Amino acid sequence: MVMLTEQFLIDYLLIAAGLLTVASCVLGGLFLGTVYRQPNMWMRLLLWGLPATLLTTAPWSLLLPMQTALPVGATTAAAMIGGLLLMPCRTGRPARGWPGLIADGLSGIGRTMLMLAPAVVIGGAPDWVLWLSLTALVPSLYCAIVHIRKVGGLLAEESTVWGGTQGAVLAGVPALLMVL
């Protein structure tokens, strides 16, 4: 009976981590899509600050005690908003083509690394977690395929892919560390 209970708890935590990963991916996509399609970006950033903190705290609370998960989540949300302001995802990029795609890729890697830094510094995650910031190249490859096929500028769809990738990385790190 004890083994069944332990197995149920382990399965429950893995399912919860998977659901949080999916939710963070979807909400991250909505976050960036909303911010970059609205003219009043400052108000959107302020309105999304609290949900971003809750969103980044929730996966870490599966792995860490709440007194550690809350600072990690709040710092990650601040880094997310700071990364959006410091390294813009579509507003300050060079002209279309390969220079724009390279700038997008480097900007995405920098933003994702900035968002993963609190997990390493405050949360005690291993240093190799920062390598997960290379997953930000996925949206650049997607945009390259879209532009090579000359489908056109799908600004809303591209920014949603950016947000989804970064949301999945943010939620996937605690799930990955919990499995390991």
Side-chain angles (χ1 to χ4, degrees):
M1 190 63 161
V2 172
M3 289 179 62
L4 287 175
T5 305
E6 287 177 1
Q7 186 63 40
F8 174 75
L9 288 175
I10 291 171
D11 291 344
Y12 170 74
L13 287 175
L14 290 177
I15 290 170
L19 290 175
L20 280 170
T21 303
V22 171
S24 292
C25 183
V26 170
L27 289 175
L30 289 175
F31 174 72
L32 273 188
T34 301
V35 166
Y36 283 107
R37 282 186 280 151
Q38 300 295 327
N40 193 2
M41 189 169 122
W42 289 102
M43 183 55 89
R44 294 289 174 187
L45 286 173
L46 291 175
L47 289 176
W48 279 96
L50 181 61
T53 302
L54 295 174
L55 179 71
T56 53
T57 300
W60 283 104
S61 65
L62 287 173
L63 189 66
L64 301 171
M66 190 52 77
Q67 63 266 19
T68 307
L70 191 58
V72 170
T75 309
T76 303
M80 181 190 324
I81 292 172
L84 285 173
L85 293 174
L86 294 174
M87 295 173 260
C89 171
R90 298 274 167 225
T91 54
R93 78 180 254 190
R96 291 188 178 264
W98 289 108
L101 294 171
I102 291 170
D104 280 345
L106 293 176
S107 173
I109 289 172
R111 265 196 325 272
T112 309
M113 189 175 289
L114 190 66
M115 290 188 295
L116 290 173
V120 174
V121 175
I122 299 172
D127 294 341
W128 59 263
V129 166
L130 293 176
W131 283 100
L132 294 174
S133 61
L134 293 177
T135 57
L137 291 175
V138 172
S140 289
L141 294 175
Y142 169 78
C143 295
I145 292 169
V146 167
H147 290 299
I148 287 172
R149 294 177 62 201
K150 304 211 186 274
V151 174
L154 304 172
L155 181 63
E157 186 178 343
E158 290 172 5
S159 59
T160 302
V161 173
W162 275 107
T165 302
Q166 292 180 355
V169 169
L170 283 176
V173 170
L176 177 65
L177 291 177
M178 191 170 60
V179 169
L180 294 177

